[in-house]
Amino acid sequence: MKKISLLLLVFFSIITFGQGMKFEENKSFKDLLALAKKENRLLFVDAYTTWCGPCKMMVKNVFPQEKVGEFYNANFINSKIDMEKGEGIDLAKKYNVRAYPTYLFINGDGELIHRVTSYYDAPEFIEVGKDAVDPAKQMGALKTKFEAGNKDPEFLKSFIKIFSFADPELATTAAAKYFAGKKGEPLSQEDFSFLFSLTKDSNSPLYGEFISRKDELLKVMPEENYNKTLNTFQLNSLFNTSYDKKTKIFDEKKYVAEASKTKSEKEVSTLLLKSKIKVAALNKDKNEYQRLSMEYYKDGSSPEFTSNELNSIAWNFFENATDKVALDHALLWAKQSVKLDAAYANTDTVANLYFKSGDKANAKIWATKAIELAKKEGEEYADTQALLDKVK
């Protein structure tokens, strides 16, 4: 009996002390904050979505590791919140979560102390946690150093990474200083990511880097893509100068007048329609968004539409549209997307649209196709399997 008891003790010790991260389950965000405040610890939030591949890899490869668990369980109240469900929807807006996985470190008063966005291996993830509890490396301290004029390249890089989503304008200002200190030096892959993620339009302080470093950029992207990128920046500037974010008013006359300086009448007409779709989306006018989208995309057969673009608009309609006409349009777009480039994502969209339209026979056919493609592409397909189970 003593030997058995000893073995059991060892077994339970392994379970207790060899575990990974312990997450608080079934608690509201308010309760999580209260717990963090009571224990004088930061709240760690794994801000994830169900479709995020790197999020799933963290759950599988990193969170269960013993050393990760030792550090995070000792220093934080750990939580996981789906940013597309329940409280997560409002929390994503409050903390400006737009990329996944994002990790938030929040004090008991709900103030954001630190944040990062990426997949990390276990040692790096522990370092992220150490930064979060180090007052000298928390967001407030970093901002103070930046405002004091710290121009050290490594500091600026860290600053840009942390503030890219927390405060994009401030991150862009930091990036402008960073690139100003790199004149004549080649850009790294990380530098390119800063440029592409933070440059929003041709009025950006980073836009000049795209012009001055054209030869360098052409080494990592085709000239056609380079020209499209510049065109997108210019069109974004055109839109941003015509749309007032505060009043949510779009000045069509101003937009047309400016666009007409460089575009033909036909081009202006198309651009105006696309801009009005964007305005409807920003203003959350679902009916206008759907009406204008159907006018713009028609049957989806125009050669200017890419497979990804068509799948994206089709999925948007799947999630938001309810009337048959809108769903029929979405189905046309999704099938055209598959025709251009068959993949798990767009084939799954077709299956879901058929199901939503009440056509279970075709939903079954397309769900089966989607799962076959998912297996070939190494994609996770639990949601599609659940759909297939409903129509069997």
Side-chain angles (χ1 to χ4, degrees), residues 353-369:
L353 283 165
Y354 269 126
F355 182 76
K356 189 169 185 177
S357 300
D359 188 340
K360 292 185 177 181
N362 271 310
K364 180 179 179 180
I365 292 170
W366 284 86
T368 302
K369 290 180 181 179

Side-chain angles (χ1 to χ4, degrees), residues 317-359:
F317 269 49
F318 164 73
E319 291 186 317
N320 299 291
T322 54
D323 65 277
K324 188 177 184 305
V325 173
L327 290 173
D328 285 347
H329 272 79
L331 192 54
L332 283 173
W333 303 332
K335 293 178 80 170
Q336 179 64 17
S337 173
V338 172
K339 183 178 179 181
L340 291 172
D341 183 18
Y344 164 63
N346 51 19
T347 308
D348 174 69
T349 300
V350 176
N352 277 280
L353 283 165
Y354 269 126
F355 182 76
K356 189 169 185 177
S357 300
D359 188 340

Side-chain angles (χ1 to χ4, degrees), residues 231-232 234-236 238-239 250 252 255-256 258-279 296 304:
N231 184 57
T232 297
Q234 291 159 7
L235 292 177
N236 287 346
L238 179 61
F239 179 85
F250 179 58
E252 288 188 32
Y255 184 91
V256 171
E258 289 298 316
S260 298
K261 293 178 181 178
T262 56
K263 308 291 181 182
S264 68
E265 185 176 345
K266 183 179 180 180
E267 288 174 325
V268 172
S269 178
T270 300
L271 290 172
L272 179 61
L273 180 55
K274 289 178 70 175
S275 294
K276 289 168 75 172
I277 293 172
K278 187 174 181 179
V279 170
Y296 176 69
E304 67 184 270

Side-chain angles (χ1 to χ4, degrees), residues 218-229:
L218 291 181
K219 293 178 181 179
V220 297
M221 64 191 302
E223 187 163 9
E224 180 183 2
N225 290 355
Y226 171 82
N227 291 331
K228 284 182 178 179
T229 299

Side-chain angles (χ1 to χ4, degrees), residues 19 31 41 49 53 56 63 77 84 156 160 169 204 240 252 260 270-271 327 333 340 348-349 358 381:
Q19 63 183 352
D31 289 341
R41 287 192 280 172
T49 66
K56 296 172 185 175
F63 294 164
I77 302 298
E84 295 184 335
L156 290 174
I160 293 165
E169 289 187 12
S204 168
N240 292 337
E252 288 188 32
S260 298
T270 300
L271 290 172
L327 290 173
W333 303 332
L340 291 172
D348 174 69
T349 300
Y381 56 87

Side-chain angles (χ1 to χ4, degrees), residues 136-196:
K137 295 182 179 180
Q138 292 173 350
M139 291 175 66
L142 294 176
K143 190 172 182 180
T144 298
K145 290 179 182 178
F146 176 71
E147 292 173 344
N150 192 325
K151 295 182 180 179
D152 176 73
E154 291 305 313
F155 166 77
L156 290 174
K157 283 169 68 174
S158 297
F159 187 90
I160 293 165
K161 289 179 187 177
I162 291 171
F163 282 88
S164 288
F165 293 100
D167 191 338
E169 289 187 12
L170 188 59
T172 301
T173 301
K177 290 185 178 182
Y178 171 71
F179 285 112
K182 289 200 63 134
K183 297 298 182 185
E185 296 180 28
L187 300 183
S188 67
Q189 190 63 43
E190 189 174 46
D191 295 338
F192 285 124
S193 71
F194 290 157
L195 269 183
F196 282 95

